[in-house]
Amino acid sequence: MKRYRNGEIWDFEHEMPVVGGNDEVVLGLDGGTTSTVCICMPLLRVADPFPDPLPVLARAVAGCSNHNSVGEAAARETLEQVMADALAKSGSNRSAVRAVCLAVSGVNHPTDQQRIVNWLREMFPSYVRLYVQNDAVAALASGTLGKLHGCVLIAGTGTIAYGFTEDGREARAAGAGPTLGDWGSGYGIAAQALTAVIRAYDGRGPETNLTSSILEKIGLSSPDELIGWTYADPSWARIAALVPVVVSCAEAGDEVANRILFESVQELALSVKAVVERLRLCGEEMKLLK
């Protein structure tokens, strides 16, 4: 077990006693483009009935851990910090950890999984079991009591549809990030709204209440200031934070905002449809609706 370059993250362990075998814990992480949550729980034996509610020793929250959005160094630091915070709050340390289950957006390929497993392996003793999956897999499991069968749709800062068959086949749609057309996501909605403001300002598109509403929200006086604002920090979560403005404008009757939301819903539906059809999860009723 090595200490990562931010070794001070684990300094709290020097002041703690060695944890005994009865104090074993597991860490569960849900990592997204906006925030990352880590839960520390006692190790529960499969042979024993699970308590209800499940005991949570500590909960910690940090920022974005999607390496495609903030870069590998920042993503790794976020993961390490949130795990250290959860352990510190629970009165535990890394010697007590028996497993780490990490579900994080941006895990799109086995190379992504292996990269994060390597990060975790440097942080924890060799006996700790490590599990890394896309956050959509955990979302599906949480709604099916752990059984991976069906289709789940995540629509937050980013979006992805993910599905499994009973025999273990899997498929996904979208989730490739904004550059590759992550339409239907919070980033996609907000980016289209910003584009609509620029188009209206240029005379290339219809007038829209998005202009005044967005400028007021971010404290600008003119649409031509949007270029500098956008590229000063193009992090996905920062852009996606404008979605409530788009929704408010749509609810007030703005046609441009309504069209953006309508087309986004269509994109989300297409993602689910693509996964369901590829895995043949749909029944006869679904086929009749096509």
Side-chain angles (χ1 to χ4, degrees):
M1 178 175 63
K2 301 177 182 177
R3 295 182 75 190
Y4 182 44
R5 64 181 179 85
N6 291 315
E8 65 273 8
I9 288 177
W10 302 102
D11 282 349
F12 72 91
E13 292 181 325
H14 303 315
E15 303 173 3
M16 300 181 66
V18 177
V19 179
N22 293 329
D23 298 314
E24 299 170 323
V25 300
V26 296
L27 297 176
L29 290 88
D30 177 15
T33 306
T34 300
S35 63
T36 301
V37 179
C38 179
I39 297 293
C40 180
M41 296 177 56
L43 180 64
L44 302 175
R45 306 299 173 181
V46 177
D48 299 332
F50 279 12
D52 185 17
L54 292 173
V56 174
L57 301 176
R59 181 179 187 271
V61 181
C64 174
S65 55
N66 184 326
H67 65 274
N68 292 324
S69 175
V70 296
E72 291 189 13
R76 176 172 176 164
E77 184 172 340
T78 295
L79 293 174
E80 189 167 15
Q81 184 66 66
V82 77
M83 289 186 291
D85 288 347
L87 286 172
K89 290 179 179 179
S90 69
S92 302
N93 55 43
R94 285 176 290 178
S95 66
V97 177
R98 291 300 176 267
V100 177
C101 181
L102 194 158
V104 62
S105 62
V107 175
N108 303 309
H109 189 270
T111 56
D112 297 322
Q113 289 178 299
Q114 190 57 52
R115 179 187 301 111
I116 297 176
V117 166
N118 292 341
W119 295 351
L120 297 174
R121 184 54 65 207
E122 291 187 3
M123 300 177 198
F124 291 93
S126 59
Y127 54 77
V128 176
R129 295 187 178 185
L130 306 175
Y131 304 90
V132 176
Q133 290 284 354
N134 186 282
D135 60 338
V137 177
L140 178 59
S142 70
T144 58
L145 298 179
K147 183 178 181 181
L148 290 178
H149 179 218
C151 181
V152 64
L153 173 69
I154 291 181
T157 300
T159 181
I160 187 172
Y162 215 118
F164 285 85
T165 61
E166 286 188 291
D167 60 3
R169 291 183 297 115
E170 60 186 274
R172 54 174 283 171
T179 303
L180 298 177
D182 214 3
W183 307 124
S185 67
Y187 182 99
I189 291 171
Q192 289 181 79
L194 291 170
T195 300
V197 172
I198 294 297
R199 287 176 59 83
Y201 182 67
D202 289 346
R204 296 181 289 124
E207 293 297 319
T208 170
N209 290 332
L210 288 169
T211 298
S212 58
S213 297
I214 288 178
L215 292 179
E216 180 181 357
K217 174 67 175 179
I218 60 181
L220 301 181
S221 58
S222 173
D224 59 10
E225 298 178 79
L226 277 177
I227 299 174
W229 179 88
T230 300
Y231 296 109
D233 178 10
S235 63
W236 302 351
R238 175 174 178 260
I239 302 298
L242 294 175
V243 168
V245 178
V246 184
V247 173
S248 295
C249 287
E251 291 175 340
D254 186 83
E255 292 185 5
V256 174
N258 266 302
R259 185 177 67 253
I260 291 173
L261 294 182
F262 179 77
E263 292 176 352
S264 296
V265 170
Q266 287 185 311
E267 287 289 338
L268 295 175
L270 284 173
S271 295
V272 173
K273 183 171 180 282
V275 170
V276 168
E277 290 184 342
R278 283 166 61 189
L279 296 177
R280 299 184 179 180
L281 293 172
C282 53
E284 293 300 321
E285 298 86 355
M286 179 70 75
K287 293 178 181 178
L288 293 174
L289 293 174
K290 292 171 60 178

